[in-house]
Amino acid sequence: MPQTEAERELAQLLVESLNLEGVDPQAIDPEAPLFNEGLGLDSIDALELSLAVGKRYGVQLRADGDDNKRIFASLRALAAHVQAHRAN
């Protein structure tokens, strides 16, 4: 399934902010898990990504947020959350 424009932008931010060498942002499956078996991100990556998202979009993601598992489930889920909560 192709990425939306918002997902492409977020995938680029993800690759840049986490220094994912050799990862093509456009090749990230928007439905694939970001953690563990998917992109293999860890809790440190989650913190760095949260900071990058906050800086770029004005969306605050708390490290202890109850919805983090859902928000960070996939690129698509994260993009949907950012779009719904971004400061314009």
Side-chain angles (χ1 to χ4, degrees):
M1 182 168 247
Q3 296 174 349
T4 64
E5 182 61 35
E7 290 164 353
R8 270 193 298 280
E9 189 178 301
L10 199 53
Q12 185 70 40
L13 176 67
L14 191 149
V15 169
E16 288 173 2
S17 64
L18 301 180
N19 298 316
L20 300 178
E21 293 180 16
V23 176
D24 177 2
Q26 294 183 7
I28 297 173
D29 179 349
E31 296 287 336
L34 294 177
F35 295 89
N36 303 324
E37 71 276 2
L39 274 182
L41 303 184
D42 61 24
S43 58
I44 300 298
D45 294 325
L47 287 173
E48 290 182 21
L49 184 56
S50 295
L51 289 172
V53 166
K55 197 179 222 180
R56 169 86 50 96
Y57 301 106
V59 175
Q60 298 306 310
L61 298 167
R62 294 174 30 158
D64 60 349
D66 294 336
D67 292 336
N68 282 357
K69 194 172 191 113
R70 176 185 56 78
I71 293 167
F72 287 106
S74 66
L75 179 63
R76 180 147 293 152
L78 182 56
H81 181 80
V82 167
Q83 291 302 309
H85 296 90
R86 72 188 295 177
N88 291 332

Short mmCIF file of all heavy atoms in Angstrom, two decimals, residues 6-56:
data_model
loop_
_atom_site.label_atom_id
_atom_site.label_comp_id
_atom_site.label_asym_id
_atom_site.label_seq_id
_atom_site.Cartn_x
_atom_site.Cartn_y
_atom_site.Cartn_z
N ALA A 6 1.55 12.79 3.86
CA ALA A 6 1.90 12.97 5.27
C ALA A 6 2.82 11.86 5.75
O ALA A 6 3.76 12.09 6.52
CB ALA A 6 0.64 13.03 6.13
N GLU A 7 2.56 10.63 5.30
CA GLU A 7 3.40 9.50 5.69
C GLU A 7 4.80 9.61 5.09
O GLU A 7 5.79 9.30 5.74
CB GLU A 7 2.74 8.18 5.28
CG GLU A 7 1.50 7.88 6.09
CD GLU A 7 0.62 6.80 5.50
OE1 GLU A 7 0.87 6.35 4.36
OE2 GLU A 7 -0.34 6.41 6.17
N ARG A 8 4.88 10.10 3.84
CA ARG A 8 6.20 10.29 3.20
C ARG A 8 7.03 11.31 3.98
O ARG A 8 8.21 11.11 4.23
CB ARG A 8 6.02 10.76 1.75
CG ARG A 8 5.95 9.64 0.75
CD ARG A 8 6.10 10.15 -0.67
NE ARG A 8 5.07 11.09 -1.09
CZ ARG A 8 3.85 10.72 -1.48
NH1 ARG A 8 3.53 9.45 -1.55
NH2 ARG A 8 2.98 11.63 -1.83
N GLU A 9 6.38 12.41 4.35
CA GLU A 9 7.05 13.46 5.11
C GLU A 9 7.54 12.94 6.46
O GLU A 9 8.66 13.19 6.88
CB GLU A 9 6.06 14.62 5.31
CG GLU A 9 6.65 15.87 5.89
CD GLU A 9 5.61 16.97 5.99
OE1 GLU A 9 5.02 17.36 4.97
OE2 GLU A 9 5.39 17.44 7.12
N LEU A 10 6.69 12.17 7.14
CA LEU A 10 7.04 11.62 8.43
C LEU A 10 8.11 10.54 8.31
O LEU A 10 9.01 10.46 9.15
CB LEU A 10 5.77 11.04 9.09
CG LEU A 10 5.82 10.81 10.59
CD1 LEU A 10 6.23 12.07 11.33
CD2 LEU A 10 4.46 10.35 11.08
N ALA A 11 8.06 9.75 7.26
CA ALA A 11 9.09 8.72 7.03
C ALA A 11 10.45 9.38 6.83
O ALA A 11 11.47 8.90 7.34
CB ALA A 11 8.73 7.87 5.81
N GLN A 12 10.47 10.49 6.11
CA GLN A 12 11.72 11.24 5.90
C GLN A 12 12.25 11.75 7.23
O GLN A 12 13.44 11.63 7.51
CB GLN A 12 11.46 12.40 4.93
CG GLN A 12 12.71 13.16 4.54
CD GLN A 12 13.63 12.35 3.65
OE1 GLN A 12 13.18 11.63 2.77
NE2 GLN A 12 14.92 12.45 3.89
N LEU A 13 11.37 12.30 8.06
CA LEU A 13 11.76 12.79 9.38
C LEU A 13 12.30 11.64 10.23
O LEU A 13 13.31 11.79 10.91
CB LEU A 13 10.56 13.46 10.07
CG LEU A 13 10.81 13.94 11.51
CD1 LEU A 13 11.81 15.09 11.52
CD2 LEU A 13 9.51 14.36 12.16
N LEU A 14 11.64 10.52 10.18
CA LEU A 14 12.05 9.34 10.95
C LEU A 14 13.46 8.90 10.56
O LEU A 14 14.33 8.73 11.41
CB LEU A 14 11.03 8.22 10.69
CG LEU A 14 11.08 6.98 11.57
CD1 LEU A 14 9.68 6.42 11.70
CD2 LEU A 14 11.99 5.94 11.01
N VAL A 15 13.71 8.76 9.28
CA VAL A 15 15.02 8.32 8.79
C VAL A 15 16.11 9.34 9.15
O VAL A 15 17.18 8.96 9.62
CB VAL A 15 14.98 8.05 7.27
CG1 VAL A 15 16.38 7.86 6.70
CG2 VAL A 15 14.11 6.84 6.97
N GLU A 16 15.80 10.62 8.97
CA GLU A 16 16.79 11.66 9.28
C GLU A 16 17.06 11.79 10.78
O GLU A 16 18.21 11.86 11.20
CB GLU A 16 16.31 13.01 8.74
CG GLU A 16 16.36 13.12 7.24
CD GLU A 16 15.71 14.41 6.73
OE1 GLU A 16 15.26 15.24 7.54
OE2 GLU A 16 15.64 14.56 5.49
N SER A 17 16.01 11.82 11.59
CA SER A 17 16.19 12.05 13.02
C SER A 17 16.84 10.86 13.72
O SER A 17 17.52 11.02 14.73
CB SER A 17 14.88 12.43 13.69
OG SER A 17 13.95 11.37 13.63
N LEU A 18 16.65 9.66 13.19
CA LEU A 18 17.21 8.46 13.81
C LEU A 18 18.47 7.98 13.09
O LEU A 18 19.03 6.94 13.45
CB LEU A 18 16.17 7.33 13.86
CG LEU A 18 14.89 7.66 14.63
CD1 LEU A 18 13.94 6.48 14.61
CD2 LEU A 18 15.20 8.08 16.06
N ASN A 19 18.90 8.72 12.07
CA ASN A 19 20.10 8.34 11.31
C ASN A 19 20.04 6.89 10.84
O ASN A 19 20.98 6.12 11.05
CB ASN A 19 21.37 8.57 12.14
CG ASN A 19 21.56 10.03 12.50
OD1 ASN A 19 21.38 10.90 11.66
ND2 ASN A 19 21.90 10.28 13.73
N LEU A 20 18.93 6.53 10.22
CA LEU A 20 18.76 5.16 9.73
C LEU A 20 19.44 5.02 8.37
O LEU A 20 18.82 5.18 7.32
CB LEU A 20 17.26 4.81 9.62
CG LEU A 20 16.47 4.87 10.92
CD1 LEU A 20 15.01 4.55 10.65
CD2 LEU A 20 17.04 3.92 11.96
N GLU A 21 20.72 4.74 8.41
CA GLU A 21 21.49 4.62 7.18
C GLU A 21 21.02 3.42 6.37
O GLU A 21 20.76 2.36 6.91
CB GLU A 21 22.98 4.48 7.50
CG GLU A 21 23.56 5.74 8.12
CD GLU A 21 25.02 5.61 8.43
OE1 GLU A 21 25.67 4.69 7.91
OE2 GLU A 21 25.52 6.44 9.21
N GLY A 22 20.90 3.63 5.08
CA GLY A 22 20.50 2.54 4.20
C GLY A 22 19.01 2.30 4.15
O GLY A 22 18.55 1.37 3.49
N VAL A 23 18.23 3.11 4.87
CA VAL A 23 16.76 2.96 4.85
C VAL A 23 16.19 4.04 3.93
O VAL A 23 16.40 5.23 4.16
CB VAL A 23 16.15 3.08 6.26
CG1 VAL A 23 14.63 3.02 6.19
CG2 VAL A 23 16.68 1.98 7.17
N ASP A 24 15.48 3.61 2.91
CA ASP A 24 14.81 4.54 1.99
C ASP A 24 13.46 4.89 2.60
O ASP A 24 12.63 4.01 2.81
CB ASP A 24 14.62 3.87 0.63
CG ASP A 24 13.88 4.75 -0.36
OD1 ASP A 24 13.53 5.90 -0.02
OD2 ASP A 24 13.63 4.27 -1.48
N PRO A 25 13.24 6.19 2.93
CA PRO A 25 11.97 6.57 3.55
C PRO A 25 10.75 6.11 2.74
O PRO A 25 9.74 5.71 3.31
CB PRO A 25 12.04 8.10 3.60
CG PRO A 25 13.47 8.43 3.51
CD PRO A 25 14.13 7.34 2.72
N GLN A 26 10.85 6.13 1.41
CA GLN A 26 9.71 5.73 0.59
C GLN A 26 9.49 4.22 0.59
O GLN A 26 8.44 3.76 0.17
CB GLN A 26 9.90 6.24 -0.84
CG GLN A 26 9.86 7.76 -0.90
CD GLN A 26 9.97 8.28 -2.32
OE1 GLN A 26 9.95 7.53 -3.28
NE2 GLN A 26 10.07 9.59 -2.45
N ALA A 27 10.49 3.48 1.06
CA ALA A 27 10.37 2.02 1.10
C ALA A 27 9.75 1.52 2.41
O ALA A 27 9.47 0.33 2.54
CB ALA A 27 11.73 1.37 0.90
N ILE A 28 9.52 2.42 3.36
CA ILE A 28 8.93 2.01 4.64
C ILE A 28 7.45 1.70 4.41
O ILE A 28 6.70 2.55 3.95
CB ILE A 28 9.10 3.11 5.71
CG1 ILE A 28 10.58 3.35 5.99
CG2 ILE A 28 8.36 2.72 6.99
CD1 ILE A 28 10.86 4.52 6.91
N ASP A 29 7.07 0.48 4.75
CA ASP A 29 5.68 0.06 4.63
C ASP A 29 4.87 0.82 5.69
O ASP A 29 5.16 0.70 6.89
CB ASP A 29 5.58 -1.45 4.87
CG ASP A 29 4.16 -1.98 4.79
OD1 ASP A 29 3.19 -1.18 4.78
OD2 ASP A 29 4.00 -3.21 4.76
N PRO A 30 3.87 1.62 5.28
CA PRO A 30 3.13 2.42 6.26
C PRO A 30 2.35 1.58 7.28
O PRO A 30 2.00 2.08 8.34
CB PRO A 30 2.19 3.27 5.41
CG PRO A 30 2.12 2.61 4.09
CD PRO A 30 3.41 1.84 3.91
N GLU A 31 2.12 0.31 6.97
CA GLU A 31 1.38 -0.56 7.88
C GLU A 31 2.29 -1.42 8.76
O GLU A 31 1.83 -2.06 9.69
CB GLU A 31 0.45 -1.48 7.08
CG GLU A 31 -0.64 -0.76 6.31
CD GLU A 31 -1.73 -0.21 7.18
OE1 GLU A 31 -1.94 -0.72 8.30
OE2 GLU A 31 -2.40 0.76 6.76
N ALA A 32 3.59 -1.45 8.45
CA ALA A 32 4.52 -2.31 9.20
C ALA A 32 4.79 -1.73 10.58
O ALA A 32 4.82 -0.51 10.76
CB ALA A 32 5.82 -2.45 8.42
N PRO A 33 5.03 -2.59 11.55
CA PRO A 33 5.37 -2.11 12.90
C PRO A 33 6.66 -1.30 12.88
O PRO A 33 7.58 -1.61 12.12
CB PRO A 33 5.57 -3.39 13.71
CG PRO A 33 4.95 -4.48 12.92
CD PRO A 33 5.00 -4.05 11.49
N LEU A 34 6.72 -0.25 13.68
CA LEU A 34 7.94 0.55 13.78
C LEU A 34 8.95 -0.10 14.72
O LEU A 34 10.14 0.06 14.58
CB LEU A 34 7.63 1.96 14.27
CG LEU A 34 6.80 2.85 13.34
CD1 LEU A 34 6.53 4.20 14.00
CD2 LEU A 34 7.52 3.05 12.01
N PHE A 35 8.44 -0.84 15.70
CA PHE A 35 9.31 -1.43 16.72
C PHE A 35 9.39 -2.94 16.56
O PHE A 35 8.59 -3.56 15.86
CB PHE A 35 8.79 -1.06 18.13
CG PHE A 35 8.88 0.41 18.37
CD1 PHE A 35 7.85 1.25 18.02
CD2 PHE A 35 10.03 0.97 18.89
CE1 PHE A 35 7.94 2.62 18.21
CE2 PHE A 35 10.14 2.34 19.08
CZ PHE A 35 9.09 3.16 18.74
N ASN A 36 10.40 -3.50 17.21
CA ASN A 36 10.65 -4.94 17.20
C ASN A 36 10.81 -5.48 15.79
O ASN A 36 11.73 -5.12 15.10
CB ASN A 36 9.56 -5.68 17.99
CG ASN A 36 9.47 -5.16 19.42
OD1 ASN A 36 10.49 -4.83 20.02
ND2 ASN A 36 8.29 -5.07 19.96
N GLU A 37 9.88 -6.31 15.34
CA GLU A 37 10.05 -7.00 14.05
C GLU A 37 9.93 -6.09 12.83
O GLU A 37 10.36 -6.45 11.76
CB GLU A 37 9.07 -8.17 13.92
CG GLU A 37 7.61 -7.78 13.73
CD GLU A 37 6.86 -7.48 15.01
OE1 GLU A 37 7.47 -7.52 16.10
OE2 GLU A 37 5.66 -7.18 14.92
N GLY A 38 9.38 -4.92 12.98
CA GLY A 38 9.25 -4.02 11.85
C GLY A 38 10.57 -3.34 11.52
O GLY A 38 11.51 -3.98 11.07
N LEU A 39 10.66 -2.04 11.79
CA LEU A 39 11.90 -1.30 11.55
C LEU A 39 12.95 -1.60 12.62
O LEU A 39 14.10 -1.24 12.48
CB LEU A 39 11.63 0.21 11.54
CG LEU A 39 11.21 0.84 10.24
CD1 LEU A 39 11.03 2.33 10.40
CD2 LEU A 39 12.20 0.56 9.13
N GLY A 40 12.52 -2.24 13.69
CA GLY A 40 13.46 -2.60 14.75
C GLY A 40 13.84 -1.45 15.66
O GLY A 40 14.89 -1.46 16.28
N LEU A 41 12.98 -0.45 15.77
CA LEU A 41 13.26 0.68 16.65
C LEU A 41 13.14 0.25 18.10
O LEU A 41 12.47 -0.73 18.43
CB LEU A 41 12.29 1.83 16.36
CG LEU A 41 12.27 2.36 14.92
CD1 LEU A 41 11.33 3.55 14.83
CD2 LEU A 41 13.65 2.70 14.41
N ASP A 42 13.79 1.01 19.00
CA ASP A 42 13.72 0.72 20.43
C ASP A 42 13.23 1.95 21.20
O ASP A 42 12.88 2.95 20.60
CB ASP A 42 15.08 0.22 20.95
CG ASP A 42 16.20 1.24 20.77
OD1 ASP A 42 15.89 2.47 20.68
OD2 ASP A 42 17.36 0.85 20.72
N SER A 43 13.25 1.86 22.52
CA SER A 43 12.70 2.95 23.34
C SER A 43 13.50 4.24 23.19
O SER A 43 12.92 5.33 23.26
CB SER A 43 12.63 2.53 24.81
OG SER A 43 13.91 2.17 25.28
N ILE A 44 14.80 4.16 22.98
CA ILE A 44 15.60 5.36 22.76
C ILE A 44 15.18 6.02 21.45
O ILE A 44 15.04 7.24 21.36
CB ILE A 44 17.11 5.03 22.72
CG1 ILE A 44 17.56 4.39 24.02
CG2 ILE A 44 17.94 6.27 22.40
CD1 ILE A 44 17.41 5.24 25.24
N ASP A 45 14.95 5.19 20.42
CA ASP A 45 14.47 5.72 19.14
C ASP A 45 13.12 6.41 19.32
O ASP A 45 12.86 7.45 18.72
CB ASP A 45 14.32 4.59 18.11
CG ASP A 45 15.66 3.97 17.73
OD1 ASP A 45 16.67 4.70 17.66
OD2 ASP A 45 15.69 2.76 17.48
N ALA A 46 12.26 5.84 20.16
CA ALA A 46 10.94 6.43 20.40
C ALA A 46 11.09 7.83 21.01
O ALA A 46 10.38 8.75 20.62
CB ALA A 46 10.12 5.54 21.32
N LEU A 47 12.02 7.98 21.95
CA LEU A 47 12.25 9.29 22.56
C LEU A 47 12.75 10.29 21.53
O LEU A 47 12.27 11.42 21.46
CB LEU A 47 13.27 9.17 23.70
CG LEU A 47 12.77 8.50 24.97
CD1 LEU A 47 13.93 8.29 25.94
CD2 LEU A 47 11.68 9.32 25.62
N GLU A 48 13.73 9.87 20.71
CA GLU A 48 14.27 10.77 19.70
C GLU A 48 13.22 11.14 18.66
O GLU A 48 13.12 12.30 18.24
CB GLU A 48 15.48 10.11 19.01
CG GLU A 48 16.68 10.02 19.92
CD GLU A 48 17.89 9.42 19.25
OE1 GLU A 48 17.96 9.43 18.01
OE2 GLU A 48 18.77 8.93 19.98
N LEU A 49 12.41 10.17 18.28
CA LEU A 49 11.35 10.42 17.31
C LEU A 49 10.30 11.35 17.90
O LEU A 49 9.81 12.26 17.23
CB LEU A 49 10.72 9.10 16.85
CG LEU A 49 9.67 9.19 15.76
CD1 LEU A 49 10.20 9.90 14.52
CD2 LEU A 49 9.19 7.79 15.40
N SER A 50 9.97 11.16 19.16
CA SER A 50 9.00 12.04 19.85
C SER A 50 9.49 13.48 19.85
O SER A 50 8.71 14.40 19.60
CB SER A 50 8.79 11.57 21.29
OG SER A 50 8.19 10.31 21.33
N LEU A 51 10.77 13.67 20.13
CA LEU A 51 11.34 15.02 20.13
C LEU A 51 11.29 15.64 18.74
O LEU A 51 10.94 16.81 18.58
CB LEU A 51 12.79 14.99 20.63
CG LEU A 51 12.96 14.69 22.12
CD1 LEU A 51 14.44 14.49 22.44
CD2 LEU A 51 12.39 15.81 22.96
N ALA A 52 11.64 14.84 17.72
CA ALA A 52 11.63 15.34 16.35
C ALA A 52 10.22 15.71 15.90
O ALA A 52 10.01 16.74 15.26
CB ALA A 52 12.23 14.29 15.41
N VAL A 53 9.25 14.89 16.26
CA VAL A 53 7.85 15.15 15.90
C VAL A 53 7.37 16.42 16.62
O VAL A 53 6.70 17.27 16.02
CB VAL A 53 6.95 13.94 16.25
CG1 VAL A 53 5.47 14.31 16.21
CG2 VAL A 53 7.22 12.79 15.28
N GLY A 54 7.74 16.56 17.89
CA GLY A 54 7.35 17.75 18.65
C GLY A 54 7.93 19.01 18.05
O GLY A 54 7.24 20.03 17.93
N LYS A 55 9.19 18.94 17.65
CA LYS A 55 9.87 20.09 17.06
C LYS A 55 9.27 20.46 15.70
O LYS A 55 9.03 21.62 15.42
CB LYS A 55 11.35 19.75 16.92
CG LYS A 55 12.25 20.92 16.72
CD LYS A 55 13.68 20.40 16.62
CE LYS A 55 14.61 21.29 17.40
NZ LYS A 55 15.99 20.82 17.32
N ARG A 56 9.04 19.47 14.87
CA ARG A 56 8.57 19.73 13.50
C ARG A 56 7.09 20.07 13.45
O ARG A 56 6.67 20.96 12.72
CB ARG A 56 8.85 18.49 12.64
CG ARG A 56 8.21 18.46 11.28
CD ARG A 56 8.95 19.13 10.13
NE ARG A 56 10.33 18.79 9.96
CZ ARG A 56 10.80 17.87 9.14
NH1 ARG A 56 9.98 17.15 8.41
NH2 ARG A 56 12.09 17.68 9.04
#
